[in-house]
Amino acid sequence: MFGHDLADVYELVYRSRGKDWAAEAAEIGTLIRERLPAADSLLDVACGTGAHLEAFDGLFGHTEGLELSAAMLERATGRLPGVPLHQGDMRAFDLGRRFDAVVCLFTAIGYLRTLEDMRAAVATMARHLRPGGLLVVEPWWFPERFLDGYVAGDLASDEHRTVARISHSTREGRTTRMEVRFVIGEAGGIREFTEVDLLTLFTCEEYLAAFADAGCPAEYLRPEWTARGLFVARRG
């Protein structure tokens, strides 16, 4: 689970890598409204620091967020004091209401370790949709598209600090092991920490079957803003 060290530099680092949460939310908002013009409520599952949710809150009449990491949720709470936020596991949560749209973005579903876990998460999210509602999920890489041994490096700065990030990703069966090292330079000195992320390489067919079995037949799209694609499912 992501801790305070990562939450502290998360947006700075990914913004330096070109991530634009507001632009992505606008694209998804358009996609939802094209298919469901009256959509007015949205749940963001694995909302992280609330960067997408902040933009969604300006696009929909009612928004809520769910996040497992207490450190990430703390950031989101500070950013969105008027938005209901919940700490919970995407595989098994019950918010007691349904939404016009549920989204799960930035490959968060890939952190689930088994096919059963992924199917449980899809079913739980689907249960939070109104009839005709939309479920939008951004997956992790499919097995045939993952680059074993991939290395990435980034340098990000703001007025208080400079952060270096380097990652190395390998494949172990159906699992991606991504070791990520961060070095932060600031007025008080230099510190560093390492994250090891394990993500599962589910197939496109496994995702589609999970959506169908949850009563939400899906289509797989390839919008320009995400190299990993996007599933859009509608609850029957």
Side-chain angles (χ1 to χ4, degrees):
M1 188 187 302
F2 297 149
H4 288 281
D5 283 336
L6 181 60
D8 184 47
V9 299
Y10 178 80
E11 290 185 43
L12 173 63
V13 168
Y14 282 101
R15 193 175 294 112
S16 77
R17 305 187 80 197
K19 190 161 187 66
D20 187 334
W21 287 271
E24 292 178 5
E27 293 278 359
I28 293 168
T30 297
L31 182 152
I32 290 170
R33 290 271 165 63
E34 286 174 347
R35 291 160 174 77
L36 190 63
D40 192 52
S41 60
L42 178 142
L43 171 65
D44 186 357
V45 174
C47 65
T49 59
H52 278 132
L53 189 54
E54 182 177 38
F56 284 132
D57 193 48
L59 299 173
F60 293 87
H62 178 82
T63 58
E64 299 190 24
L66 180 89
E67 173 57 43
L68 182 60
S69 163
M72 291 292 204
L73 194 62
E74 182 180 316
R75 296 272 170 169
T77 300
R79 161 186 260 139
L80 298 164
V83 175
L85 299 173
H86 314 272
Q87 186 171 16
D89 188 322
M90 70 171 73
R91 296 169 295 182
F93 65 93
D94 184 357
L95 302 186
R97 65 158 295 166
R98 294 181 177 182
F99 300 82
D100 296 318
V102 176
V103 301
C104 182
L105 304 174
F106 208 8
T107 72
I109 199 166
Y111 284 86
L112 300 178
R113 299 304 312 281
T114 68
L115 179 59
E116 291 73 20
D117 286 343
M118 184 270 280
R119 290 175 60 85
V122 169
T124 300
M125 289 188 279
R127 285 196 296 271
H128 283 76
L129 285 172
R130 295 190 176 114
L134 297 175
L135 175 56
V136 181
V137 175
E138 183 182 3
W140 180 235
W141 297 110
F142 301 144
E144 67 274 13
R145 298 191 62 211
F146 175 71
L147 298 177
D148 196 7
Y150 182 75
V151 174
D154 304 279
L155 190 66
S157 297
D158 61 16
E159 61 271 26
H160 303 297
R161 60 202 165 164
T162 294
V163 181
R165 173 194 182 274
I166 187 166
S167 66
H168 177 240
S169 299
T170 57
R171 177 173 178 172
E172 301 172 1
R174 285 171 59 91
T175 300
T176 298
R177 183 185 187 277
M178 181 166 57
E179 182 176 343
V180 189
R181 296 186 183 179
F182 296 86
V183 179
I184 301 105
E186 49 201 349
I190 296 174
R191 59 189 173 92
E192 59 184 280
F193 67 95
T194 299
E195 295 272 339
V196 176
D197 296 337
L198 301 176
L199 297 98
T200 305
L201 296 162
F202 300 116
T203 68
C204 184
E205 292 74 20
E206 287 170 336
Y207 281 112
L208 291 171
F211 289 115
D213 290 346
C216 293
E219 57 181 323
Y220 176 65
L221 307 178
R222 294 289 300 275
E224 292 184 0
W225 59 267
T226 170
R228 289 171 289 269
L230 205 65
F231 290 101
V232 181
R234 184 185 294 271
R235 182 175 180 182

